[in-house]
Amino acid sequence: MLTSIKSLLGLSTITLMLSVSLIAQPAPGDTEDDLPKDYLTKDFHTGRRIALRNQMPDNSVMVIFAFPTRTYSNDVEYLYHQNPDMYYFSGYKEPHSLLLVFKEEQHDSLGNSYNEILFVQKRNPKAEQWTGRRLGIDGAKNRSGIQTVYNATDFKNFNIDFSKFSKIIYDRFPADVPDGFDSADLFDLIKQFKEKSEMPEQLKEQKRFDNRLFIELTAGLREIKTAEEIDLLRKAVEISCHGQNEVMKTVHPNMSELEIQGLHEFVHKKHGAEGVGYGSIIGAGENGCILHYMENTKTKVGNSMLLMDVGAEYHGYTADVTRTVPVDGKFSQEEKTIYQIVYDAQEAAFKTLKNGSKWSDASQAAKDVIAEGLIKLGIIKYKSEVGKYYPHGLGHHIGMDVHDRGNYGTLKKDMVITIEPGIYIPEGSDCDKKWWSIAVRIEDDLLITQTGYELLSHFAPRKIEDIEKMIKEKSVLDNYKLPPLESGKKKGF
Ligand SMILES: [Mn+2]
């Protein structure tokens, strides 16, 4: 998109001419037929709202805004990502929207009743030609199953008496909402909501506006996955594993971290994953010690260990899978030793998992194995030092967010979680030099069952010998050859 969006607002002759033919036509995407068959259904979103309403306190309303759009460069926006809570409860993926879910039936002045309202982006052929199709009212009804849908432009004059509710359940507002040209964008919707509801500045004093309850209700629902969600997560995880496998089969010391990232994401997209759930982490050698390393700028990964933490996002659900592999195909003795401790820690955590087990038991089991392993090698002296080389938690829920909403107490059937112990020994650490720059994380995605767990990410090898075997295999990606670049040749880069 190289042309300025400002010319759209200038209504140039060309945009006007081109837009005429669009006006009478419905936007593609209005019907379920235009969606991939395994998308979340209207029944899913409707069911989630029913489940929410059942748990809401009497005389309450839940308020969910879309996420803001964000600037990438000048007049270019980042690819839009919907607020997962909005998507979960409505299936609506567009910005500048607002969902209200009421505990009880409401009545308007014309005698119509409703217990949920969705305010959506107004159809606008001129804008749609530039920034994409909009569902509009009919499309949004069809997608969400919500019968009361209005254009966001109608919120300003919509007659609703927020003062009668004993609870207004809301999420904290994003701090950086741009006030665009539109008179009904997210900025205005939030402003209008604050005015209509007479939201006080000091919310802490006001128990009627309840943010804690918002988190509690959404976490309680979203941490237990429905059958449709589990299907989508299975797919996201399997795709991510295929990415890991193809990279293992292709990787060589002259590859760059960026190229490796590209190979993962190519495999994801080949299988229909729209994006990644978080910035792909491809850390060679010392870079593996940076937990959320996303620059991926090393031009040659060399004969080091390669830590790859990558998660495909498929139809709104993200996987989170990490594999750490030796680029030259063989773990050195030191690498093997550290890797095996992390592997054993992961296995120890796995053993605790089942419906009713505690997050803290899994965490402790993994931590104990890592601490004992590091003490045995003389890398630490006391158990209490383990955080030096294992500085993060054991895992988290995955779902629409990579760190998905959850209560993190007891594990329950149909939760989908990651278990990801790691050991990171940066250069200069207070231990024998031979351990320096070794970084290992093994991260798997698991479905909690009544009696144990199902390892969803079993498609990618975890054991030392299985990884070495996989690296020996050939990938179809292996022999791609691109012409070398001409630019910069004379200057030597
Ligand atoms: Mn993770």
Side-chain angles (χ1 to χ4, degrees):
M1 197 189 63
L2 293 168
T3 320
S4 168
I5 197 109
K6 281 165 195 155
S7 65
L8 159 73
L9 296 153
L11 299 182
S12 72
T13 325
I14 289 172
T15 47
L16 272 178
M17 277 168 62
L18 290 173
S19 59
V20 171
S21 61
L22 291 169
I23 287 171
Q25 294 169 4
D30 276 1
T31 67
E32 292 291 329
D33 288 346
D34 293 321
L35 295 169
K37 294 291 172 255
D38 58 349
Y39 238 92
L40 290 175
T41 62
K42 184 193 323 198
D43 290 345
F44 168 84
H45 301 295
T46 303
R48 298 293 78 203
R49 292 193 303 277
I50 292 170
L52 170 66
R53 198 172 286 113
N54 284 340
Q55 292 185 19
M56 284 166 60
D58 288 346
N59 196 27
S60 64
V61 56
M62 179 102 154
V63 183
I64 303 174
F65 286 96
F67 270 173
T69 55
R70 295 192 191 277
T71 303
Y72 178 74
S73 160
N74 193 4
D75 56 354
V76 177
E77 285 175 357
Y78 276 98
L79 182 66
Y80 183 67
H81 194 269
Q82 182 58 286
N83 174 0
D85 288 318
M86 173 64 101
Y87 187 55
Y88 186 82
F89 290 112
S90 74
Y92 190 67
K93 289 203 285 186
E94 296 172 32
H96 311 303
S97 47
L98 164 63
L99 172 64
L100 301 173
V101 177
F102 304 93
K103 174 74 176 183
E104 292 91 4
E105 203 79 15
Q106 308 293 308
H107 304 278
D108 67 16
S109 51
L110 300 168
N112 301 312
S113 63
Y114 55 88
N115 60 5
E116 50 200 18
I117 315 179
L118 181 61
F119 292 92
V120 300
Q121 284 200 117
K122 197 174 181 173
R123 291 290 312 271
N124 178 343
K126 284 198 292 287
E128 287 177 50
Q129 189 188 10
W130 287 79
T131 54
R133 296 162 183 144
R134 296 181 180 184
L135 283 181
I137 290 176
D138 292 338
K141 279 183 183 173
N142 196 25
R143 181 75 54 88
S144 66
I146 297 171
Q147 287 317 305
T148 312
V149 178
Y150 294 100
N151 286 319
T153 44
D154 292 330
F155 183 57
K156 193 175 178 196
N157 295 319
F158 191 81
N159 193 4
I160 178 166
D161 177 13
F162 280 102
S163 70
K164 68 179 184 184
F165 297 109
S166 28
K167 280 269 183 224
I168 296 174
I169 309 162
Y170 78 103
D171 198 4
R172 68 195 156 92
F173 302 109
D176 48 351
V177 182
D179 186 10
F181 300 102
D182 202 312
S183 62
D185 60 19
L186 184 65
F187 183 92
D188 300 298
L189 286 175
I190 291 176
K191 200 170 132 219
Q192 288 155 11
F193 166 73
K194 284 181 174 171
E195 282 163 13
K196 280 177 192 288
S197 65
E198 292 172 13
M199 198 174 207
E201 286 292 323
Q202 289 300 324
L203 280 166
K204 275 185 190 135
E205 314 293 308
Q206 253 285 8
K207 287 207 178 88
R208 207 166 71 81
F209 289 84
D210 201 330
N211 176 236
R212 195 192 44 81
L213 187 56
F214 184 97
I215 304 299
E216 209 177 283
L217 290 173
T218 50
L221 290 170
R222 285 178 51 192
E223 69 180 3
I224 307 290
K225 267 61 183 182
T226 68
E228 301 96 310
E229 292 184 286
I230 293 170
D231 281 349
L232 291 174
L233 277 163
R234 271 182 202 286
K235 214 159 196 175
V237 175
E238 185 178 355
I239 290 170
S240 306
C241 289
H242 280 298
Q244 295 282 356
N245 292 350
E246 292 314 309
V247 167
M248 282 187 222
K249 293 186 235 170
T250 315
V251 75
H252 58 75
N254 287 333
M255 269 188 179
S256 71
E257 291 173 342
L258 283 176
E259 186 177 1
I260 291 166
Q261 174 186 352
L263 292 175
H264 278 278
E265 294 176 16
F266 167 75
V267 175
H268 297 177
K269 287 195 161 45
K270 182 80 184 159
H271 288 295
E274 294 89 340
V276 283
Y278 53 96
S280 302
I281 299 166
I282 309 291
E286 180 73 17
N287 288 344
C289 295
I290 305 166
L291 299 178
H292 288 170
Y293 174 75
M294 284 184 261
E295 293 164 320
N296 305 340
T297 44
K298 196 167 186 178
T299 53
K300 280 185 182 156
V301 293
N303 276 329
S304 59
M305 291 266 272
L306 180 65
L307 188 155
M308 306 182 287
D309 183 343
V310 198
E313 185 176 302
Y314 186 82
H315 297 0
Y317 285 83
T318 185
D320 188 359
V321 179
T322 309
R323 290 293 181 265
T324 309
V325 306
V327 173
D328 59 3
K330 208 121 193 78
F331 286 87
S332 72
Q333 200 48 54
E334 286 76 26
E335 290 164 357
K336 213 179 247 182
T337 306
I338 299 296
Y339 190 95
Q340 193 60 45
I341 297 172
V342 179
Y343 181 91
D344 292 343
Q346 207 192 19
E347 287 287 319
F350 286 176
K351 285 199 181 78
T352 68
L353 304 176
K354 62 174 185 186
N355 182 48
S357 71
K358 295 259 178 279
W359 264 110
S360 51
D361 291 343
S363 295
Q364 197 56 52
K367 211 179 206 173
D368 287 346
V369 172
I370 291 177
E372 283 157 24
L374 292 177
I375 289 171
K376 225 168 150 186
L377 297 174
I379 294 173
I380 57 172
K381 272 205 184 97
Y382 311 103
K383 263 191 149 179
S384 57
E385 295 172 281
V386 69
K388 222 162 121 184
Y389 299 111
Y390 172 38
H392 57 75
L394 179 68
H396 50 87
H397 291 271
I398 54 171
M400 288 188 178
D401 286 299
V402 62
H403 297 156
D404 213 36
R405 288 204 194 278
N407 292 308
Y408 293 91
T410 304
L411 288 165
K412 293 178 198 149
K413 185 176 170 290
D414 295 336
M415 286 181 171
V416 180
I417 62 164
T418 72
I419 296 289
E420 50 172 316
I423 296 176
Y424 316 87
I425 313 177
E427 205 181 330
S429 292
D430 186 17
C431 63
D432 193 323
K433 263 185 167 174
K434 67 178 182 180
W435 305 115
W436 288 4
S437 299
I438 296 181
V440 175
R441 175 159 71 249
I442 315 174
E443 177 168 31
D444 281 89
D445 301 344
L446 306 97
L447 170 69
I448 303 297
T449 64
Q450 192 59 44
T451 53
Y453 63 89
E454 186 188 332
L455 187 62
L456 302 181
S457 46
H458 68 88
F459 297 97
R462 299 166 49 240
K463 282 190 181 139
I464 287 173
E465 56 271 28
D466 294 341
I467 288 174
E468 289 183 343
K469 219 170 114 194
M470 179 67 82
I471 293 177
K472 281 202 188 85
E473 282 184 38
K474 282 267 169 265
S475 164
V476 288
L477 302 176
D478 219 10
N479 282 316
Y480 70 91
K481 284 231 166 26
L482 299 174
L485 296 183
E486 291 298 323
S487 347
K489 239 182 186 174
K490 275 185 201 150
K491 288 183 178 169
F493 53 77

